[in-house]
Amino acid sequence: MADMKAIAEALKSGKARDVKAMVSAALEEGVSASTILNEGLVVGMGEVGELFKANEIYVPEVLIAARAMKAGMELIKPLLAASDVQPAGVAAIGTVKGDLHDIGKNLVGMMLEGAGFQVIDLGIDVGADKFIEAIKGGAKLIGMSTLLTTTMPEMKNVIEAIKEAGLRDQVKIIIGGAPVTQSFADEIGADGYSADAASAVDLAKALLQ
Ligand code: B1M
């Protein structure tokens, strides 16, 4: 019988092939895509997030686990779309204009996906216009990342542009990246800051509740 715990465990260990095989077998047994997502993949990725936060595992292990998550997601994504399962929320994430670093941003995206969010990855060097377009397209959460002190002011510019477009009350905005702090988030009017990808998920969930 399909074992959701085993899927979570294989994901935690980054065994993409095993995850794929187990998800496939579970689907054949008639387990629903949402059960596999919520009781298998999301549980596994949640545990990965906790271990990462506690410094018990590091970036490479998270990336390998995320790859395993993706292998499972590929099989169930079309079924989720067909069954109209509501995502935890729609999040648009990007590294701000002038900044090309994307490893942290990608981790945040993977973790959000792992928690059941629909993630629109706007990429790197993202200006205010693209974030605004994403809000108009239905994003309820904007996540901005930057690694450079020189591009931190761009986060403020994006928030100001969102305000000017009259969209500020339709969206929650979170920021992160090595030079960013909670006091900077407060100063520029973001809804929150998190120091790592796993906490970004907790924050996103809390803000969209
Ligand atoms: Co660059 N770089 N880099 N770099 N680079 C740094 C950031 C730097 C600190 C290195 C240094 O000098 N010690 C320095 C910035 C100094 C400063 O501004 N104070 C720097 C510099 C100067 C530069 C260039 C200007 C170098 C040059 O060309 N002269 C140039 C800039 C190019 C540009 O962006 N316009 C540059 C280029 C590059 C590479 C292309 C070579 C490469 C990037 C590859 C890539 O991203 N695809 C690179 C790298 C790899 C680094 C370091 C070594 C590592 C960054 C990283 O990926 N960390 C970095 C030094 C360092 O940090 N030790 C450095 C791992 C990643 C998982 O962590 O991104 O912090 P991080 O993400 C964390 C958290 O911050 C948080 O969660 C993640 C994990 O839990 N988080 C969020 C991140 N985003 C979040 C968003 C959230 C919430 C949490 O909500 C939305």
Side-chain angles (χ1 to χ4, degrees):
M1 226 188 75
D3 181 356
M4 296 304 111
K5 258 193 190 157
I7 292 180
E9 280 304 316
L11 187 151
K12 259 170 73 183
S13 318
K15 294 180 178 155
R17 228 178 296 157
D18 290 357
V19 169
K20 201 170 176 177
M22 282 191 258
V23 168
S24 176
L27 288 171
E28 269 169 31
E29 276 180 36
V31 181
S32 73
S34 61
T35 300
I36 296 171
L37 176 69
N38 296 320
E39 293 175 25
L41 301 175
V42 169
V43 170
M45 203 59 193
E47 288 172 14
V48 168
E50 292 307 316
L51 292 172
F52 181 56
K53 254 197 285 188
N55 288 324
E56 285 178 37
I57 59 170
Y58 299 96
V59 172
E61 286 99 320
V62 177
L63 293 176
I64 292 166
R67 199 180 54 190
M69 169 101 194
K70 270 204 170 150
M73 281 301 287
E74 268 166 26
L75 295 174
I76 63 166
K77 239 183 195 169
L79 301 168
L80 287 174
S83 64
D84 219 25
V85 171
Q86 292 301 315
V90 181
I93 58 165
T95 303
V96 299
K97 199 170 175 180
D99 190 345
L100 309 177
H101 294 87
D102 69 355
I103 299 168
K105 183 263 298 168
N106 292 345
L107 267 178
V108 172
M110 288 167 186
M111 292 276 194
L112 284 171
E113 259 184 8
F117 282 80
Q118 182 190 328
V119 176
I120 304 165
D121 188 348
L122 301 172
I124 51 174
D125 196 20
V126 182
D129 50 341
K130 281 202 190 154
F131 285 110
I132 286 173
E133 242 171 68
I135 301 168
K136 288 182 177 162
K140 296 287 177 234
L141 181 90
I142 291 294
M144 289 188 272
S145 176
T146 198
L147 269 277
L148 300 173
T149 44
T150 48
T151 49
M152 285 170 68
E154 185 56 24
M155 294 180 152
K156 182 168 195 257
N157 294 343
V158 172
I159 294 177
E160 291 306 317
I162 291 171
K163 275 187 198 158
E164 273 166 34
L167 299 168
R168 183 65 185 93
D169 56 355
Q170 292 182 28
V171 72
K172 297 292 180 191
I173 302 175
I174 65 170
I175 62 172
V180 177
T181 59
Q182 181 64 54
S183 70
F184 180 69
D186 296 340
E187 187 189 313
I188 67 171
D191 294 301
Y193 150 82
S194 65
D196 59 65
S199 319
V201 171
D202 299 338
L203 180 62
K205 281 188 188 160
L207 287 170
L208 291 190
Q209 246 171 22

